[in-house]
Amino acid sequence: MFKSIVRGGAAGAAGTTVLNAVTYADMAVRGRPSSEAPAQVVEKISQDVGHPVPGSDDTRANRLSGLGALSGIAVGCATGSAVSLLRRVGIRLPWWLGGAVTGALAMAATDVPMARLGVSDPTSWSFEDWVSDAVPHLMYGLVTYGIVAASD
């Protein structure tokens, strides 16, 4: 079981790298800014648990930005581990379906907390907003699931 967790975490890290590359390419091509939502989620959670991120102005903003990015890496690795464990217990999907499901799972793991914490309202997103979120997550899922499946 430990091997499945580690294998899935590594696959999730590779998938996260692809997600970030696709996201940064989109930002470069369209000239759009990076999302502040991950930092806002971290800020909200840290305040809700009674341990706000310390610092003032730029220092605090930089910490929140770094913690937001690290939380994305953690979600990517954890999702990969979960998918690897599911595969270990016998849930084996075709690569294309497994990739899409894995991407959707990672997308839900980031978008649901944003919505529940009031950081963003996906119901108000434009088509372009959805594409900017869905395409990188789909690429994440295909890479992550592909590595997990190939390492059986």
Side-chain angles (χ1 to χ4, degrees), residues 7-9 11-12 80-81 83-85 87 143-152:
R7 184 180 312 131
S81 292
V83 167
S84 183
L85 286 171
R87 222 174 134 75
V143 168
T144 300
Y145 194 80
I147 293 171
V148 167
S151 61
D152 280 345

Side-chain angles (χ1 to χ4, degrees), residues 12-148:
T16 300
T17 299
V18 170
L19 180 145
N20 287 336
V22 171
T23 300
Y24 295 141
D26 177 48
M27 290 166 56
V29 168
R30 294 193 305 141
R32 71 172 180 84
S34 63
S35 174
E36 295 181 19
Q40 292 170 346
V41 167
V42 168
E43 180 177 35
K44 198 96 156 102
I45 291 172
S46 70
Q47 289 174 346
D48 288 351
V49 299
H51 296 284
V53 174
S56 59
D57 299 331
D58 287 346
T59 300
R60 185 167 184 279
N62 292 338
R63 284 186 177 133
L64 287 168
S65 179
L67 289 167
L70 288 170
S71 71
I73 294 168
V75 167
C77 292
T79 301
S81 292
V83 167
S84 183
L85 286 171
L86 289 171
R87 222 174 134 75
R88 183 174 190 265
V89 300
I91 300 172
R92 296 169 182 268
L93 302 171
W95 72 269
W96 57 271
L97 181 57
V101 169
T102 300
L105 181 62
M107 190 168 159
T110 57
D111 292 351
V112 170
M114 281 192 311
R116 301 228 355 141
L117 292 168
V119 169
S120 182
D121 178 10
T123 63
S124 69
W125 292 0
S126 69
F127 176 77
E128 290 81 15
D129 294 335
W130 277 105
V131 170
S132 293
D133 196 37
V135 170
H137 282 98
L138 176 61
M139 296 299 103
Y140 161 87
L142 292 171
V143 168
T144 300
Y145 194 80
I147 293 171
V148 167

